[in-house]
């Protein structure tokens, strides 16, 4: 918090990862480079160099730099780490599969012999490697902390068994993972339908038609239906299609 405040007092603006990604894609486009949506544009050396120049000139600082500066702050001022460890005796860390190397260095530096650490994570849910997440940190946690106790939570409370069966089958092809078999005590549910689409608009059109069919022919209400998506930029095709199928 003190580090954030210090930069804010100096006139810096803290930017989030989505802003960083937007900057990176804009720079890549200006260079004539096409970066797939699932890749981090800042992994391109030329893009990253221009990105750093841009945020320095604009007096902006991103999340990765905050982490780096925080770690360096502790290294340069060991008494700060000692005070934190004295006050905070237990660490609880969620979504641990998304931890990056700098975050893990910070955690290890703050952990003392009397510290208790709880982490919750699932290597099967690692989706942020494109922005630095290192799933090997979780996979090799027992090597880092030999005394750690691992508890597998394999009962699912949100999905039907047919969904879990599909997920179990698909994820079993992953080579680096903690083996488990998700199950539920709920009903089997409907069978999973997999639909391949050639474009975002055709996908949205298929979903819109299915919603219309379920409401008109299967007795469903619109209240029974939802569309799940990962990022807001994916919604435009669905908005256009749903309006067209009203």
């Amino acid at each position: 918090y003190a580090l954030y405040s210090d930069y804010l007092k100096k006139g810096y603006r803290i930017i989030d990862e989505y802003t960083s990604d937007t900057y990176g894609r804009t720079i890549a486009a200006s260079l004539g480079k096409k970066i797939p949506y699932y890749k981090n544009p800042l992994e391109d050396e030329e893009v990253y160099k221009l990105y750093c120049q841009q945020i320095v000139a604009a007096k902006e600082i991103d999340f990765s730099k905050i982490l780096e500066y925080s770690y360096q702050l502790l290294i340069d001022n060991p008494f700060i780490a000692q005070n934190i460890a004295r006050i905070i005796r237990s660490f609880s860390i969620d979504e641990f599969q998304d931890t990056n190397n700098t975050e893990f260095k910070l955690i290890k530096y703050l952990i003392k012999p009397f510290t208790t650490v709880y982490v919750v994570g699932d290597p099967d849910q690692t989706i942020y490697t494109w922005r630095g997440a290192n799933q090997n940190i979780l996979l090799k946690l027992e090597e880092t902390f030999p005394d750690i106790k691992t508890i597998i939570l394999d009962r699912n409370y949100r999905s039907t068994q047919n969904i879990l069966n599909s997920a179990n089958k698909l994820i079993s092809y992953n080579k680096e993972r903690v083996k488990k078999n998700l199950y539920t005590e709920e009903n089997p549910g409907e069978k999973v339908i997999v639909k391949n689409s050639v474009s975002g608009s055709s996908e949205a059109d298929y979903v819109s038609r299915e919603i219309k069919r379920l409401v008109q022919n299967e007795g469903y209400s619109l209240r029974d239906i939802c569309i799940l998506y990962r990022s807001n930029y994916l919604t435009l095709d669905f908005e256009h299609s749903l309006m067209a199928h009203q």
Side-chain angles (χ1 to χ4, degrees):
Y1 174 78
L3 194 64
Y4 273 86
S5 298
D6 185 51
Y7 278 106
L8 291 174
K9 288 177 182 177
K10 292 178 180 178
Y12 281 83
R13 186 172 78 94
I14 311 297
I15 60 174
D16 59 25
E17 292 171 330
Y18 294 101
T19 303
S20 297
D21 184 75
T22 301
Y23 284 176
R25 294 189 184 283
T26 302
I27 293 169
S30 71
L31 296 172
K33 297 186 176 186
K34 295 182 178 180
I35 308 292
Y37 73 90
Y38 54 85
K39 285 193 174 183
N40 183 358
L42 301 183
E43 290 178 354
D44 182 284
E45 186 175 350
E46 187 178 10
V47 172
Y48 184 69
K49 182 178 179 180
L50 291 174
Y51 165 80
C52 289
Q53 293 174 358
Q54 177 177 318
I55 63 173
V56 168
K59 295 196 72 173
E60 295 174 329
I61 186 168
D62 62 16
F63 181 66
S64 63
K65 292 300 181 185
I66 284 287
L67 287 175
E68 292 173 15
Y69 296 158
S70 297
Y71 178 69
Q72 194 60 48
L73 177 71
L74 297 180
I75 297 296
D76 295 340
N77 303 275
F79 70 93
I80 296 178
Q82 292 169 3
N83 286 336
I84 292 174
R86 178 175 54 82
I87 296 170
I88 303 175
R89 298 299 184 96
S90 295
F91 288 91
S92 179
I93 307 167
D94 196 13
E95 303 291 357
F96 197 72
Q97 75 277 353
D98 295 328
T99 302
N100 63 43
N101 294 334
T102 305
E103 288 172 322
F104 195 46
K105 287 195 300 182
L106 264 170
I107 293 164
K108 289 192 294 183
Y109 193 72
L110 292 172
I111 291 175
K112 305 302 176 186
F114 50 80
T115 307
T116 303
V117 180
Y118 304 89
V119 305
V120 180
D122 180 2
D124 289 344
Q125 297 184 42
T126 303
I127 60 173
Y128 290 117
T129 52
W130 59 273
R131 65 184 190 197
N134 181 0
Q135 68 169 359
N136 287 321
I137 293 173
L138 179 55
L139 289 170
K140 296 181 179 180
L141 200 61
E142 291 180 339
E143 297 178 19
T144 307
F145 303 109
D147 296 331
I148 200 168
K149 181 178 180 180
T150 300
I151 301 172
I152 303 295
L153 304 175
D154 50 4
R155 181 180 175 184
N156 186 285
Y157 294 86
R158 294 189 291 186
S159 298
T160 62
Q161 193 60 53
N162 277 330
I163 291 175
L164 295 177
N165 289 343
S166 299
N168 286 330
K169 180 66 175 178
L170 180 63
I171 205 67
S172 67
Y173 292 100
N174 275 19
K175 295 179 180 179
E176 300 294 332
R177 63 188 300 263
V178 176
K179 289 187 178 180
K180 56 188 173 297
N181 191 50
L182 301 178
Y183 73 96
T184 182
E185 295 185 359
E186 302 298 323
N187 61 67
E190 300 289 335
K191 289 185 177 180
V192 174
I193 298 173
V194 177
K195 172 70 175 177
N196 292 323
S197 300
V198 296
S199 66
S201 58
S202 63
E203 177 188 34
D205 192 53
Y206 167 76
V207 171
S208 298
R209 292 197 311 272
E210 277 298 293
I211 291 174
K212 197 170 186 177
R213 183 185 67 80
L214 290 171
V215 172
Q216 292 181 348
N217 303 333
E218 303 291 337
Y220 285 90
S221 166
L222 290 175
R223 294 175 180 270
D224 301 323
I225 303 168
C226 68
I227 300 173
L228 304 180
Y229 52 90
R230 171 59 61 181
S231 298
N232 287 336
Y233 73 87
L234 296 171
T235 64
L236 190 58
D237 285 333
F238 288 94
E239 291 172 17
H240 290 164
S241 181
L242 289 170
M243 290 176 65
H245 283 84
Q246 281 184 336

